[in-house]
Amino acid sequence: MSTTKESIQQLCIDTVRVLAADAVQKANSGHPGTPMALAPLGHVLWSESMNYNPQNPEWVNRDRFILSAGHACMLQYNFLHLTGYPITLDDIKKFRQLHSKTAGHPEYGLLPGIEVTTGPLGQGFANGVGFAIAQKYMAARFNRSGFDIFDYKIYVICSDGDLMEGVASEAASIAGHLQLGNMIYLYDDNHITIEGNTNLTFDENVAQRFESYGWHVQELADGNDVDALSDAIKKAQEETNRPSLIKIRTHIGYGSPNKIDTASAHGSPLGEAEVKLVKKNFDFDPDKYFEVPDEVLKYYRAVGEKGVKKELDWNALYKSYKEKYTALANEYELLSSGKLPEGWKEKLPVFKADEKPIATRKASGKTLNAIADHFPNLIGGSADLSPSTDTNLEKYKSFSLANYDGRNFHFGIREHAMGSILNGMALSKYIIPYGATFFVFSDYMRPPIRLAAIMKIRSIFIFTHDSIGLGEDGTTHQPIEQLIGLRSIPNMTVIRPADANETVQAWRVALEHTGGPVALILTRQEIPIINQEKYTSATELEKGAYLLSESETPPKIILISTGSEVQLILAAQQRLKEGNIAARVVSMPSWELFEKQDAAYKEKVFPGIIRKRLAVEAGSSLGWHKYVTDDGDVIGIDKFGESAPGDEVMNEYGFTVENIIKRALGLLEKQEP
Ligand SMILES: Cc1ncc(C[n+]2csc(CCOP(=O)(O)OP(=O)(O)O)c2C)c(N)n1
């Protein structure tokens, strides 16, 4: 290794570049060019700008780093390794291999130091806004004069692709509006995407665009200028009234004589010969692989060590804070422990059968408001639909520049960003975020819903207007395929409660749930309250499916339903009984919760010998045959809805007691094969 390097800094940066080229080459897949170009930026971030402690990646006041351009993950892996996180050089060598920590894009939970799973462009950008909101909320709630317990910042590296995605525009717009001055976004302006130069598709003036969102924008002409990077980041840190964007002109594949500034440096290994040229260029031995000079490792480990001290200082601050503000500290500690507060279950409302019919969205609103005082960390809102989704916390303020401790969020008509922001909030661990819109617009949120499921985080999605029963708004607003769509996502829990009391229990389960997001699917229309004295308690909702009403004699048929259609099968049971046909009624608000039950319970609900089963649900019939068997039948909807009063559409589509009886009798008459 040459000793004539002008500075250890340069050697550090070049080491990161060479490591990235080597790792991608060894994996024979990946993205070498962007980590090579961004090595100087990474160097500044990890060696001076960000507060973190590699020995405790979970330190609560660490700055959050998000690589929205997740394909460039070799940059992040390298810095995590070099600064001393629990990731070895061997892990780097196993980049993209089965069961390695170094996946093809950064994965939350796989590697300490990865705050969020990224890869789908635009997501990390929008997640950052959720992280920023969480910080602002926690600071407003817990910081006191002289005690900035939460003063961390959010650093995000984003690329052209991130900024082209619509979700980034939504997120940037709301971040500007909320004046989230704790965000520092670093835009890798390399003029290259997969198909070639960005002038193919991307001509706007990004700086002006972000200025008009209300961001503080700086432009750097040379991404290799470490001092300029450092100065710009310092200015961004000082700008606390606006989110910051630093637009940095870089050159993809920097150091590669034949691939620099080309799209081919983006998504494929450089090639053995080219990697050797890169090494020569940087004065590394072309025949050595994964070479980390001692002085480089020493430099970065020393930088990482500084984080230990930072956390110790914070611990001392927190200790005196706790002495002075004991109640607040206790509240924070409860939130951060993930434990639920005492006494909240007693506050859950109970609805009596003689009360007026009530829409489950309304019951949800009443539930939320009944328990809100117990959950200072339960915060959320809606995409401009709170009067319709019933998500407003009546006693609490709106989250705004003037009130960062407000608990009601106005996300604007930005469903996609709302989903991603909720994920960012949920990843802050101490917050339980919820977001609401009409069920049909869950399609606009599909990417963050999927990512919440991948990350197994507790984002709560509230989807109202859950079927053709919503009525006059018509085809475009009537969900059909959304239920099975959500149910098909692994780790997702979908709950479609049958009435007000099941809705209360759905909230209970959602709050107690860990290991993934929950979607509550609620009606617009009013539905009767199922008599809790006559029928099985709604607390059984937690099992996903339960015998809501058993027949007096052994059942000949099982009627299964969810949501607003459960009342219909209950009525059908009664009518069948009058004709001496014993039918069991199963309320099945959640397939996923039911799948978690043991075989004995499943057999109890759906005994193998009763194969005459009829499922009734105002949504796609796809998937129901798993529960009704080949001998069963489904009343579902396999076409789009139409505009008319809700009950008329329901009748027209066969959601009537008469039709249920007709189909049930048809099943019973069918001969066994
Ligand atoms: C939502 C989404 N669409 C498409 C892709 C596939 N993809 C990965 S990187 C990329 C674009 C690369 O350009 P840029 O964002 O400028 O990154 P750079 O090449 O500069 O690293 C695309 C289309 C993706 N990861 N996410």
Side-chain angles (χ1 to χ4, degrees):
M1 180 57 50
S2 161
T3 50
T4 61
K5 286 272 177 199
E6 282 177 20
S7 79
I8 178 73
Q9 287 212 121
Q10 196 57 49
L11 182 61
C12 285
I13 290 166
D14 294 344
T15 302
V16 170
R17 289 174 159 143
V18 169
L19 268 183
D22 265 348
V24 174
Q25 192 62 43
K26 181 157 193 292
N28 203 20
S29 84
H31 303 77
T34 308
M36 291 168 75
L38 294 181
L41 171 63
H43 176 79
V44 175
L45 285 174
W46 270 278
S47 53
E48 62 169 67
S49 312
M50 296 196 298
N51 293 320
Y52 60 93
N53 177 7
Q55 293 179 31
N56 179 14
E58 295 284 304
W59 170 36
V60 67
N61 199 40
R62 70 193 179 280
D63 289 326
R64 307 310 198 250
F65 173 78
I66 300 172
L67 186 65
S68 191
H71 57 274
C73 53
M74 204 18 91
L75 182 82
Q76 191 172 7
Y77 296 156
N78 282 340
F79 280 106
L80 291 180
H81 163 64
L82 293 168
T83 54
Y85 282 79
I87 155 176
T88 63
L89 201 54
D90 270 347
D91 293 321
I92 303 267
K93 290 179 188 166
K94 290 187 195 133
F95 180 43
R96 294 184 157 234
Q97 303 312 303
L98 194 62
H99 304 316
S100 81
K101 292 179 188 172
T102 46
H105 292 82
E107 290 190 23
Y108 173 71
L110 204 56
L111 189 60
I114 305 292
E115 304 283 358
V116 51
T117 295
T118 54
L121 290 165
Q123 288 303 322
F125 186 107
N127 296 143
V129 179
F131 277 92
I133 285 172
Q135 188 277 331
K136 287 284 183 196
Y137 182 76
M138 293 300 278
R141 188 161 184 96
F142 293 104
N143 288 1
R144 289 294 178 270
S145 176
F147 293 98
D148 284 340
I149 299 301
F150 298 105
D151 65 354
Y152 60 88
K153 295 193 184 297
I154 321 300
Y155 292 84
V156 175
I157 292 183
C158 54
S159 63
D160 297 309
D162 284 303
L163 297 196
M164 287 190 212
E165 291 290 352
V167 67
S169 302
E170 294 178 21
S173 169
I174 185 115
H177 168 76
L178 292 170
Q179 295 182 234
L180 300 173
N182 52 354
M183 296 172 33
I184 299 178
Y185 278 45
L186 305 133
Y187 163 38
D188 175 28
D189 175 28
N190 65 13
H191 295 201
I192 293 289
T193 65
I194 291 176
E195 291 184 5
N197 195 289
T198 44
N199 63 17
L200 265 175
T201 56
F202 195 47
D203 302 312
E204 73 223 26
N205 185 323
V206 170
Q208 285 178 7
R209 176 180 151 200
F210 276 76
E211 270 160 11
S212 83
Y213 288 138
W215 287 48
H216 167 244
V217 179
Q218 301 176 74
E219 294 188 62
L220 299 186
D222 179 7
N224 286 325
D225 185 339
V226 170
D227 292 337
L229 283 165
S230 169
D231 285 348
I233 294 173
K234 279 189 194 120
K235 284 198 190 104
Q237 289 169 335
E238 282 155 19
E239 170 60 64
T240 54
N241 295 323
R242 291 177 288 172
S244 275
L245 183 80
I246 308 177
K247 179 172 178 276
I248 307 162
R249 178 67 170 112
T250 66
H251 296 273
I252 195 165
Y254 185 86
S256 159
N258 299 302
K259 303 257 169 127
I260 185 170
D261 282 331
T262 67
S264 65
H266 163 85
S268 351
L270 298 175
E272 285 286 353
E274 190 71 10
V275 173
K276 284 189 193 293
L277 293 181
V278 169
K279 290 179 185 168
K280 273 197 190 143
N281 205 0
F282 292 130
D283 227 355
F284 276 60
D285 182 342
D287 296 320
K288 284 194 179 161
Y289 297 90
F290 297 97
E291 194 185 354
V292 179
D294 289 344
E295 56 269 53
V296 169
L297 194 61
K298 217 171 131 207
Y299 180 94
Y300 281 127
R301 288 291 152 93
V303 162
E305 280 291 321
K306 284 193 206 156
V308 179
K309 162 97 172 52
K310 285 179 185 167
E311 183 174 356
L312 286 175
D313 290 348
W314 186 88
N315 289 344
L317 181 75
Y318 183 74
K319 191 165 174 275
S320 37
Y321 171 82
K322 193 172 175 179
E323 276 157 21
K324 193 154 177 204
Y325 301 103
T326 311
L328 272 178
N330 288 340
E331 181 188 315
Y332 156 67
E333 283 174 23
L334 180 70
L335 300 189
S336 67
S337 72
K339 288 190 197 132
L340 300 181
E342 307 262 300
W344 67 282
K345 285 194 208 163
E346 288 81 78
K347 290 282 159 60
L348 288 170
V350 176
F351 294 87
K352 298 260 182 292
D354 55 5
E355 289 177 41
K356 280 204 322 234
I358 175 171
T360 53
R361 61 176 168 146
K362 283 242 151 51
S364 164
K366 284 183 189 293
T367 310
L368 254 180
N369 276 289
I371 56 174
D373 290 351
H374 283 263
F375 286 92
N377 55 340
L378 183 62
I379 60 178
S382 128
D384 198 46
L385 285 171
S386 74
S388 303
T389 54
D390 265 287
T391 38
N392 204 45
L393 300 179
E394 280 146 28
K395 277 168 56 184
Y396 294 91
K397 290 175 286 193
S398 291
F399 183 90
S400 67
L401 175 63
N403 295 302
Y404 282 141
D405 57 350
R407 293 176 57 181
N408 289 306
F409 280 77
H410 305 284
F411 291 103
I413 306 124
R414 303 183 181 98
E415 294 84 0
H416 193 170
M418 174 171 76
S420 315
I421 290 171
L422 293 181
N423 288 352
M425 288 157 81
L427 284 159
S428 305
K429 303 245 178 84
Y430 24 67
I431 282 175
I432 308 176
Y434 60 87
T437 184
F438 292 164
F439 191 23
V440 86
F441 303 132
S442 63
D443 288 352
Y444 275 48
M445 305 172 60
R446 182 92 182 175
I449 293 174
R450 182 171 195 267
L451 280 159
I454 289 176
M455 293 186 277
K456 300 186 181 164
I457 56 174
R458 185 170 41 178
S459 300
I460 299 179
F461 302 104
I462 302 173
F463 296 130
T464 66
H465 298 58
D466 71 341
S467 77
I468 54 167
L470 68 85
E472 292 86 343
D473 274 344
T475 321
T476 55
H477 283 51
Q478 292 167 346
I480 300 292
E481 72 283 14
Q482 282 68 22
L483 268 171
I484 188 62
L486 290 190
R487 284 173 182 151
S488 70
I489 302 175
N491 305 336
M492 180 81 206
T493 299
V494 181
I495 312 181
R496 185 170 184 247
D499 77 337
N501 288 310
E502 274 201 10
T503 305
V504 174
Q505 295 305 318
W507 264 110
R508 175 180 64 83
V509 168
L511 290 166
E512 288 176 341
H513 188 75
T514 51
V518 175
L520 304 180
I521 314 297
L522 307 171
T523 68
R524 167 187 186 244
Q525 74 273 28
E526 289 167 353
I527 48 178
I529 296 162
I530 296 168
N531 189 337
Q532 290 288 278
E533 281 157 23
K534 184 166 169 201
Y535 298 109
T536 308
S537 165
T539 52
E540 290 296 286
L541 168 136
E542 66 189 15
K543 301 202 176 95
Y546 63 100
L547 273 57
L548 176 63
S549 174
E550 182 58 311
S551 51
E552 284 159 12
T553 53
K556 293 272 179 289
I557 186 166
I558 305 177
L559 305 176
I560 315 159
S561 195
T562 79
S564 47
E565 292 75 73
V566 171
Q567 53 172 319
L568 300 179
I569 60 169
L570 269 179
Q573 179 195 41
Q574 185 58 33
R575 292 265 298 276
L576 287 168
K577 187 180 157 197
E578 288 159 14
N580 283 328
I581 296 171
R584 164 180 295 181
V585 164
V586 171
S587 177
M588 192 168 190
S590 174
W591 290 11
E592 299 79 20
L593 294 176
F594 181 66
E595 286 305 329
K596 287 195 175 143
Q597 307 307 314
D598 61 22
Y601 182 78
K602 288 181 182 167
E603 172 64 19
K604 185 181 147 206
V605 177
F606 297 128
I609 52 158
I610 311 179
R611 290 175 63 87
K612 305 279 186 190
R613 304 178 191 172
L614 176 63
V616 183
E617 184 173 70
S620 166
S621 65
L622 194 66
W624 270 110
H625 279 279
K626 175 171 181 186
Y627 298 109
V628 300
T629 81
D630 290 347
D631 297 333
D633 195 5
V634 182
I635 300 177
I637 308 175
D638 294 314
K639 58 180 182 173
F640 289 116
E642 59 189 270
S643 170
D647 45 1
E648 285 180 32
V649 191
M650 282 295 217
N651 286 343
E652 179 77 12
Y653 279 63
F655 295 93
T656 62
V657 178
E658 287 67 34
N659 190 43
I660 293 169
I661 290 170
K662 190 173 129 206
R663 297 279 282 267
L665 293 176
L667 263 184
L668 290 166
E669 279 159 18
K670 225 168 58 177
Q671 292 302 312
E672 297 291 341

